Amino acid sequence: MSTSEVVELEGHIIDSGLMERAFTVVMDMGGEFEVEEFDVGKHSDEASYCRLRVFAPDEATLHPILHELHQSGATLAAATDATLEPAPGDRVVPDGFYSTTNHPTDVRVDGEWVPVGGIEMDCAIVVSEAEDGSVRARTKVLNAIEAGDRVVTGDAGIRVKPPERPRGSSGPFGFMRGGVSAERPSESLIRRIAESVAETKAEGGDVLVVAGPAVIHSGAGPALAHLVREGYVDAVSAGNGFAVHDMERSMYGTSLGMDVETMEHPRKGHKHHIYTISQVARAGGIEAAVEEGLVGEGVMYECVTNDREFVLAGSIRDDGPLPDTITDAVEAQDAIRKQAHEADLVLMLSSLLHSVAVGNCLPSTTKVVCVDINPATVTQLLDRGSAQAVGMVTDVGMFVPALAAELLE
């Protein structure tokens, strides 16, 4: 081996599997390693430390290894400042820019570690100077980059801090306690999720619900509306279809043309959703429809009457769409991003596309529960990087009323 570099791992690196992953990365990518120092925390609240020298046959092999180690939380022992390069144009980043993870991150500027604000995955880091002279760093999506922005490039001077699982941690949100299984004890897990929601609210935190139309089709709409009304839900992120079928239920007693009580299809029921869109548009929007009495119950009704924020992001498949639906994709991303950054706990209910979209905007420190009858939805969310999520493969029509019962009783 002709080249090497020393990295450090610190924290609950054994319990969280960080050290094992570091060893695996080095070997799988054609390198070798030597442990130069290893101190094991002897108590549950003590961190461990590992100093690792990584060897590779050449720089071309070493750099990718160091990058992967860095993404897992390793830092170079010889700390240097981050490399900053000006963006050559609007929406254009320098070659080799650092693409963020969703983990808390610091950058080293002028010898000082600066926390990166607004952390989310797949963004650039821009460093600027505040009016008081202090240095600030925050993420920027690529379409928000402006010419001249000082963008972090390479991996030097960057410190990533993945969530850890200390010994003795408990609860459904313990790191690496997630995963996907239909065999989980649903009642006990729902009870623990309810406790986490209640705890989040008691601490002044915000709960965001990401909901798909299946919430209404399955009959869970009234339970979700009750949670909104009682203050357990602070914001709703959904698509055009969810809002349409929710208000269709209020106006016609159907969801996508099916009577939600009898499961029958009334005459012309298949037109109810398009009638709903027309009437809400004629009123001037969802809030106006509520104020006029056209919509008298449901999730959207409770959002309006209780001043809960909602974002409806449109798609190419939408009928109408509703006047409140954001049809500009970039504008919709920005609105979703704002909701995601304000949330402390997110409930994702039977919506693959919206769940992945919101998950991409969340830092790994935000608690996430993803519920869907299709295991592929939960798996895709976890595979996209939301490793902190708790996945339940179950009927959302059962989950939401059961959660509401735990919280409200």
Side-chain angles (χ1 to χ4, degrees):
M1 295 293 178
S2 59
T3 186
S4 68
E5 190 64 75
V6 177
V7 299
E8 296 175 320
L9 288 166
E10 190 168 8
H12 296 283
I13 58 178
I14 301 173
D15 305 305
S16 298
L18 296 179
M19 190 170 71
E20 179 185 356
R21 288 202 299 277
F23 292 168
T24 301
V25 163
V26 175
M27 292 184 291
D28 286 351
M29 298 184 68
E32 295 180 3
F33 65 85
E34 176 183 317
V35 177
E36 296 186 343
E37 185 178 349
F38 185 30
D39 295 324
V40 181
K42 297 180 175 60
H43 300 284
S44 61
D45 59 346
E46 290 184 354
S48 300
Y49 170 82
C50 180
R51 180 183 174 91
L52 197 70
R53 181 171 292 277
V54 180
F55 300 90
D58 48 50
E59 293 290 338
T61 304
L62 181 63
H63 285 168
I65 294 175
L66 295 178
H67 175 76
E68 290 300 320
L69 290 174
H70 174 266
Q71 302 289 82
S72 296
T75 57
L76 293 175
T80 58
D81 283 351
T83 302
L84 306 177
E85 294 187 20
D90 292 348
R91 301 188 177 191
V92 181
V93 290
D95 288 337
F97 78 99
Y98 176 78
S99 179
T100 57
T101 68
N102 60 349
H103 302 314
T105 303
D106 299 329
V107 293
R108 195 171 186 267
V109 182
D110 296 331
E112 300 290 336
W113 288 104
V114 180
V116 178
I119 196 67
E120 62 178 277
M121 67 177 70
D122 302 332
C123 292
I125 298 176
V126 173
V127 175
S128 60
E129 186 174 305
E131 292 183 1
D132 60 4
S134 62
V135 175
R136 294 185 180 178
R138 68 172 297 102
T139 59
K140 265 194 175 185
V141 293
L142 299 195
N143 62 34
I145 292 291
E146 299 177 83
D149 278 347
R150 294 197 298 163
V151 179
V152 175
T153 59
D155 294 317
I158 303 170
R159 185 167 62 188
V160 177
K161 296 175 283 188
E164 298 178 340
R165 187 187 67 187
R167 284 186 291 274
S169 65
S170 60
F173 297 103
F175 182 61
M176 295 174 64
R177 295 289 180 90
V180 184
S181 175
E183 305 301 323
R184 291 180 179 277
S186 296
E187 289 185 9
S188 61
L189 185 55
I190 290 173
R191 187 175 306 114
R192 294 166 77 183
I193 292 170
E195 291 170 356
S196 292
V197 171
E199 180 181 322
T200 298
K201 294 305 303 172
E203 293 175 350
D206 286 347
V207 176
L208 168 65
V209 166
V210 182
V215 174
I216 308 302
H217 303 333
S218 66
L224 179 56
H226 201 168
L227 291 175
V228 174
R229 180 168 66 250
E230 296 301 323
Y232 287 104
V233 174
D234 300 280
V236 173
S237 181
N240 185 72
F242 171 85
V244 170
H245 301 312
D246 173 69
M247 291 186 291
E248 176 193 341
R249 186 184 190 281
S250 172
M251 296 167 70
Y252 296 98
T254 60
S255 175
L256 204 58
M258 182 186 72
D259 189 301
V260 294
E261 300 296 335
T262 66
M263 303 300 174
E264 296 177 350
H265 291 269
R267 185 171 179 272
K268 293 187 177 180
H270 63 286
K271 297 183 178 181
H272 287 173
H273 75 286
I274 205 70
Y275 290 165
T276 299
I277 295 170
S278 175
Q279 289 180 269
V280 173
R282 186 178 297 113
I286 294 174
E287 183 175 354
V290 170
E291 291 174 350
E292 287 186 16
L294 288 174
V295 178
E297 63 179 355
V299 178
M300 304 314 299
Y301 171 84
E302 297 296 347
C303 284
V304 171
T305 56
N306 294 284
D307 197 25
R308 310 285 189 251
E309 182 189 27
F310 62 86
V311 169
L312 304 179
S315 77
I316 197 68
R317 307 181 308 280
D318 290 338
D319 290 320
L322 292 164
D324 303 81
T325 300
I326 304 172
T327 56
D328 183 287
V330 174
E331 183 183 346
Q333 282 183 7
D334 289 341
I336 288 174
R337 181 170 288 110
K338 182 176 181 295
Q339 281 189 315
H341 287 182
E342 292 176 353
D344 298 288
L345 188 151
V346 181
L347 299 176
M348 299 180 171
L349 308 175
S350 292
S351 179
L352 171 59
L353 298 180
H354 263 78
S355 293
V356 172
V358 174
N360 286 351
C361 299
L362 294 172
S364 60
T365 51
T366 302
K367 297 175 181 179
V368 178
V369 179
C370 182
V371 181
D372 202 294
I373 197 67
N374 183 359
T377 298
V378 186
T379 301
Q380 185 163 342
L381 178 71
L382 299 177
D383 288 347
R384 280 289 300 152
S386 300
Q388 79 276 26
V390 171
M392 286 190 66
V393 180
T394 191
D395 176 18
V396 74
M398 177 281 295
F399 173 82
V400 179
L403 179 66
E406 289 287 346
L407 284 167
L408 299 171
E409 294 176 5

